[in-house]
Amino acid sequence: MAPIPKLLKYLGRSPWIYHINTGSCNSCDIEIVAVLTPRYDAERFGVVLVESPRHADILLVTGPVCHQNLDRVKRVYEQTPDPKMVIAVGACSSTNGVFDGSYCIDGPLDDVIPVDVYVIGCPPRPENILFGVVKAIQKLNALAEGEI
Amino acid sequence: MLFEVKICLYLLGISLFYTGFLGFLFSGIDRKLVARMQGRVGPPIRQPFLDFIKLCGKEDIIPHDATAWLFKFAPVLALASVITVMLYIPVGFSPIFAYFGDLILILYLLTLTSLAIVIGASSSSSSLFAALGAQRELVMLISCKVPLAIIIFGLAWRINPLVDVPFSLLSFSQVNLWIMAGPLTFIGVAMLFFTFLCCITGELSAGPFDIAKAKTEIAGGTLVEYSGRSLATFKLAEAIKMIAISSLAVALFFPMPLSNIVGIDGLLGILLDCLFHILKIFLIIFVSISVVRTVMARLKITQAVRFYWFVLTPFALTGLIFIMIEYLV
Ligand code: SF4
């Protein structure tokens, strides 16, 4: 990864998130939407769900990487500007979960792209997803200060 | 000559800092207010500043198929045109170029900002989503500008016999539109003011008119391929445009300064006027952006055009006819 400029001191205060579905059963995606509702309100930490990977700092990936999605996941990862974090949300993207051994999947996610944080659960609770985001932000901050 | 160029550059710098600060402050307040109205806590008010600093530090990707120079040039053009607009519009004190430009120039420069986005998005980023967004941006442009032009030309026509240069913004600070004639004029001006508020929402593509940048349908539309510093420049330009167009509304309809009424002049008076101006644009932004953004969902592009052309344009014309009747009869 390229060296991180000083301006990124505030990266942890405005993490923009892009959500990729790589063939999940949609439960994880609904829990991600729950994170943005008034009850959990991720926007108070500056978290915004952005519409294009070009704007993103953190990629939230759900689902085992099914064969149709393999190319797309890699391309979205490459389209995201540095520095970036990848969070694998759900048992599927962390370990293949219930889809393990299926003929049509190329997962788990860390076989395809580098993963920084794993959020487990099937589906994970919104608190857990927020906790994963906080972990990713901590890692970003550590990167910005040159600790890793 | 060189000296004048230097002064112009300084003025541009001051304009950029002051209006950029105001713009980000108001977008922060807007985000906070929308969150509160939805029952959320919302981001801190300094959030847009943090976003801007972060974007400046991120990697700036130019897509492989893009026309690189045009792609990099479009955000600069957008920012330059809004900063230039701010030199002609009063922000509490009289504008720096008060004696040069007129309303038509301001209209042109405001159009240029949208055109810069269209250039950057459609012709150079080679993304389909961006091209679709650019088309919608152009459609919004032609639909918003019709009522806006009616308001500006109508008001300039009305104050023509009262002042020397009807198209100058300074002339509007010399007359009080609301009480210059009888009750029919008051109603007419109120209708025009309402139309202007609706045009602000469309010009800034906020809330129901957020069609060119529709998140869920066309993946961010015009700005889809922009990242890093170019995206930050676009965000800054949009924030300043918000200040520019709401200041224009203030300058047309409520130019009355506070210092004359209270009887303070000098530096303190200017400061007081600035604060009063900030209060006025806050009210306008609150009504025409924050509230509308909270209570309404996004329209389709055909509905937006129909609203501007077949609802708002006749509405503005009616207001204009009210003003005309009292003036001519
Ligand atoms: S982890 Fe569970 S809930 Fe999430 S996508 Fe996989 S099967 Fe569905």
Side-chain angles (χ1 to χ4, degrees):
Chain A
M1 198 181 274
I4 295 187
K6 281 268 182 300
L7 281 170
L8 288 181
K9 210 167 55 183
Y10 297 111
L11 184 55
R13 311 211 113 256
S14 97
W16 287 2
I17 285 180
Y18 183 72
H19 166 216
I20 319 168
N21 178 341
T22 64
S24 86
C25 79
N26 211 20
S27 289
C28 282
D29 311 302
I30 289 187
E31 297 300 323
I32 288 174
V33 174
V35 172
L36 303 170
T37 53
R39 188 178 174 94
Y40 296 101
D41 187 25
E43 206 192 352
R44 67 203 144 112
F45 305 123
V47 174
V48 180
L49 196 67
V50 291
E51 56 276 11
S52 152
R54 296 260 192 243
H55 308 176
D57 307 304
I58 296 178
L59 296 177
L60 281 184
V61 189
T62 59
V65 184
C66 61
H67 195 64
Q68 292 274 334
N69 266 311
L70 184 61
D71 259 4
R72 277 98 183 159
V73 176
K74 285 184 189 164
R75 272 182 65 187
V76 167
Y77 180 78
E78 276 153 15
Q79 280 174 344
T80 313
D82 277 333
K84 56 196 162 193
M85 287 281 129
V86 178
I87 306 182
V89 176
C92 281
S93 43
S94 310
T95 65
N96 278 355
V98 290
F99 298 107
D100 195 28
S102 166
Y103 65 96
C104 60
I105 60 171
D106 291 325
L109 186 67
D110 51 7
D111 282 358
V112 184
I113 54 176
V115 177
D116 297 289
V117 180
Y118 298 89
V119 178
I120 45 162
C122 179
R125 292 191 60 82
E127 290 96 332
N128 205 2
I129 299 176
L130 265 181
F131 182 65
V133 173
V134 171
K135 280 282 177 207
I137 291 172
Q138 282 171 356
K139 188 167 177 189
L140 275 175
N141 285 341
L143 271 179
E145 272 150 33
E147 285 167 13
I148 304 180
Chain B
M1 188 62 215
L2 207 65
F3 181 66
E4 283 165 10
V5 170
K6 235 180 190 171
I7 285 194
C8 276
L9 283 181
Y10 278 132
L11 293 179
L12 272 177
I14 294 171
S15 160
L16 173 63
F17 272 107
Y18 181 62
T19 52
F21 175 77
L22 272 190
F24 278 148
L25 184 71
F26 276 110
S27 18
I29 293 175
D30 169 57
R31 273 171 78 175
K32 187 84 183 170
L33 282 173
V34 170
R36 295 315 301 231
M37 283 189 271
Q38 289 174 342
R40 294 188 284 124
V41 178
I45 286 177
R46 64 176 192 282
Q47 190 65 46
F49 294 99
L50 300 177
D51 290 349
F52 180 76
I53 296 173
K54 177 204 75 176
L55 282 176
C56 285
K58 293 268 296 184
E59 190 187 2
D60 198 344
I61 300 177
I62 299 175
H64 190 64
D65 306 332
T67 319
W69 69 272
L70 214 55
F71 189 76
K72 297 291 282 181
F73 171 67
V76 180
L77 180 64
L79 186 61
S81 59
V82 278
I83 302 173
T84 318
V85 157
M86 287 313 293
L87 296 180
Y88 295 101
I89 301 180
V91 279
F93 43 91
S94 65
I96 297 162
F97 287 168
Y99 298 98
F100 297 102
D102 56 12
L103 277 166
I104 298 182
L105 179 73
I106 291 174
L107 269 188
Y108 268 128
L109 285 172
L110 282 176
T111 315
L112 196 60
T113 321
S114 313
L115 280 185
I117 293 182
V118 169
I119 291 171
S122 70
S123 62
S124 53
S125 75
S126 79
S127 161
L128 235 119
F129 287 128
L132 213 61
Q135 282 173 9
R136 293 182 175 195
E137 179 88 33
L138 279 179
V139 173
M140 277 309 287
L141 190 74
I142 48 175
S143 47
C144 277
K145 279 289 181 313
V146 176
L148 202 61
I150 289 177
I151 297 170
I152 285 176
F153 287 108
L155 288 180
W157 172 81
R158 177 61 185 85
I159 67 164
N160 188 19
L162 305 175
V163 292
D164 308 329
V165 264
F167 273 106
S168 162
L169 268 181
L170 281 187
S171 313
F172 280 90
S173 60
Q174 288 160 11
V175 289
N176 191 337
L177 292 172
W178 301 84
I179 51 172
M180 64 186 170
L184 216 51
T185 307
F186 184 86
I187 297 174
V189 173
M191 286 168 81
L192 289 188
F193 180 58
F194 177 77
T195 317
F196 202 104
L197 284 185
C198 297
C199 285
I200 292 180
T201 320
E203 277 281 325
L204 299 171
S205 48
F209 305 111
D210 181 18
I211 303 168
K213 295 191 194 65
K215 272 188 186 181
T216 37
E217 304 152 38
I218 51 170
T222 39
L223 297 185
V224 64
E225 289 294 339
Y226 277 98
S227 62
R229 213 161 300 160
S230 314
L231 183 63
T233 315
F234 266 133
K235 295 266 176 217
L236 182 60
E238 273 170 10
I240 297 181
K241 192 178 178 189
M242 179 165 84
I243 299 298
I245 198 155
S246 50
S247 296
L248 183 63
V250 168
L252 284 178
F253 291 96
F254 304 103
M256 316 81 178
L258 194 62
S259 53
N260 292 358
I261 305 168
V262 190
I264 307 172
D265 48 358
L267 214 57
L268 205 64
I270 292 180
L271 200 69
L272 198 66
D273 279 344
C274 275
L275 289 179
F276 192 48
H277 176 81
I278 290 175
L279 181 71
K280 285 189 276 195
I281 53 179
F282 168 70
L283 288 178
I284 286 182
I285 289 175
F286 179 70
V287 172
S288 64
I289 298 179
S290 305
V291 173
V292 177
R293 206 154 76 88
T294 315
V295 298
M296 285 180 79
R298 184 161 48 240
L299 296 175
K300 279 187 272 182
I301 186 77
T302 47
Q303 291 168 327
V305 176
R306 217 173 294 146
F307 175 69
Y308 277 110
W309 279 7
F310 302 117
V311 179
L312 222 48
T313 305
F315 188 74
L317 283 176
T318 320
L320 203 58
I321 289 170
F322 280 174
I323 296 176
M324 272 177 170
I325 289 173
E326 205 156 54
Y327 176 57
L328 297 175
V329 176

